[in-house]
Amino acid sequence: PELSGAAVLHQTRRDQVVDSCRAYSASSRKRRVLTPADLKHLVVDEDHELIYCYVPKVACTNWKRVMMVLTGRGKYSDPMEIPSNEAHIPSNLKTLNQYSISEINHRLKNYLKFLFVREPFERLVSAYRNKFTLKYNSSFHKRFGTRIIRRYRKNATQEALVNGADVKFKEFAEYLVDPATQRDGPLNEHWQTVYQLATRATSTTTCYAKSTRTTDAMTAQFFSNISTQQQIQLYQLYKLDFLMYNYTTPSYLRMD
């Protein structure tokens, strides 16, 4: 009975994803040709015929560790003994973009595909906190922080323009919803929408991860510091993630 209930639950989740994608496709004229970059988030385990679609800020470090144990053929035994930085070295895991088109199609059709998702705005705030409020993430400060401060902060200090180390959540939100950001290219994977990261994996088994770090209450606090317009624009940006994975609209959002 437990397995039967789980099977029903996962089928319901798959149906929700497929129905949301179908509705979005019918209402949108946007079409995008898939590139190898679209498949780099799909980690392949040949021995067990598994494909894991990793989503940054949704326990992906630990799941990459697990995949390294599964695919390591004895090289690793305990996932938690694998250093976190090693889990993110591309050569340690095989991804779907490394195969031919026929091999890709075969694996998508026959392998078990799974991913973990998280409430979209909790994931977004978690990404902001991790990449813009911690001193050790200086590469993100330089790459994105300086750009954000240059575009959206009036009378920025020279230090802020050079280091980009103190981006405010309001500035980050403004960056995300700015049409110029969309024209720059795909969003960074840490705040890219899940539906973009999980392209074409519509029959994937979906599991839900609950973080003990960035909570709903904490997310609400961050969102209280941005305007109603920014809240609406962010919801529109991540709307399909809410719909595909059946998350309710957060009660703290000011939508009118």
Side-chain angles (χ1 to χ4, degrees), residues 157-192:
T157 65
Q158 187 62 30
E159 181 181 2
L161 291 169
V162 171
N163 297 325
D166 65 338
V167 171
K168 305 298 185 288
F169 184 71
K170 182 177 181 180
E171 297 168 335
F172 179 55
E174 193 168 357
Y175 164 75
L176 291 174
V177 301
D178 189 341
T181 301
Q182 304 298 321
R183 291 193 295 268
D184 288 343
L187 295 176
N188 179 268
E189 62 177 15
H190 292 85
W191 46 84
Q192 178 62 281

Side-chain angles (χ1 to χ4, degrees), residues 101-132:
I101 293 177
S102 62
E103 290 172 332
I104 289 170
N105 290 331
H106 170 77
R107 283 156 182 77
L108 284 176
K109 182 179 180 181
N110 295 288
Y111 284 18
L112 173 66
K113 303 179 292 294
F114 69 98
L115 81 159
F116 291 85
V117 296
R118 184 178 181 182
E119 201 277 344
F121 286 162
E122 283 190 23
R123 175 174 171 255
L124 179 64
V125 170
S126 177
Y128 164 76
R129 293 177 64 214
N130 181 260
K131 301 306 178 186
F132 294 107

Side-chain angles (χ1 to χ4, degrees), residues 14-151:
R14 285 193 290 268
D15 291 344
Q16 177 78 21
V17 171
V18 172
D19 291 344
S20 298
C21 285
R22 185 180 296 118
Y24 174 77
S25 297
S27 62
S28 175
R29 296 181 180 180
K30 294 181 180 179
R31 294 292 183 270
R32 185 168 61 84
V33 176
L34 285 178
T35 67
D38 295 314
L39 303 177
K40 72 177 183 178
H41 282 264
L42 299 174
V43 178
V44 180
D45 175 1
E46 296 281 1
D47 293 342
H48 303 90
E49 297 190 347
L50 298 174
I51 295 177
Y52 162 52
C53 178
Y54 77 84
V55 179
K57 304 310 300 174
V58 190
C60 77
T61 300
N62 284 341
W63 272 102
K64 283 183 176 182
R65 287 166 164 157
V66 170
M67 295 298 288
M68 287 173 67
V69 172
L70 289 174
T71 61
R73 302 189 178 185
K75 183 178 179 180
Y76 308 98
S77 58
D78 184 352
M80 299 314 295
E81 290 183 355
I82 302 174
S84 59
N85 63 315
E86 190 171 339
H88 296 291
I89 297 174
S91 60
N92 283 337
L93 290 167
K94 195 164 187 178
T95 51
L96 200 59
N97 61 314
Q98 299 173 34
Y99 294 87
S100 68
I101 293 177
S102 62
E103 290 172 332
I104 289 170
N105 290 331
H106 170 77
R107 283 156 182 77
L108 284 176
K109 182 179 180 181
N110 295 288
Y111 284 18
L112 173 66
K113 303 179 292 294
F114 69 98
L115 81 159
F116 291 85
V117 296
R118 184 178 181 182
E119 201 277 344
F121 286 162
E122 283 190 23
R123 175 174 171 255
L124 179 64
V125 170
S126 177
Y128 164 76
R129 293 177 64 214
N130 181 260
K131 301 306 178 186
F132 294 107
T133 69
L134 301 178
K135 292 182 178 180
Y136 68 80
N137 272 324
S138 58
S139 61
F140 273 81
H141 303 163
K142 291 283 188 179
R143 182 179 176 188
F144 296 101
T146 53
R147 185 189 314 171
I148 291 171
I149 291 173
R150 184 171 62 251
R151 285 184 181 179

Side-chain angles (χ1 to χ4, degrees), residues 192-204:
Q192 178 62 281
T193 57
V194 176
Y195 80 85
Q196 290 283 10
L197 294 176
T199 302
R200 293 281 181 92
T202 54
S203 61
T204 299

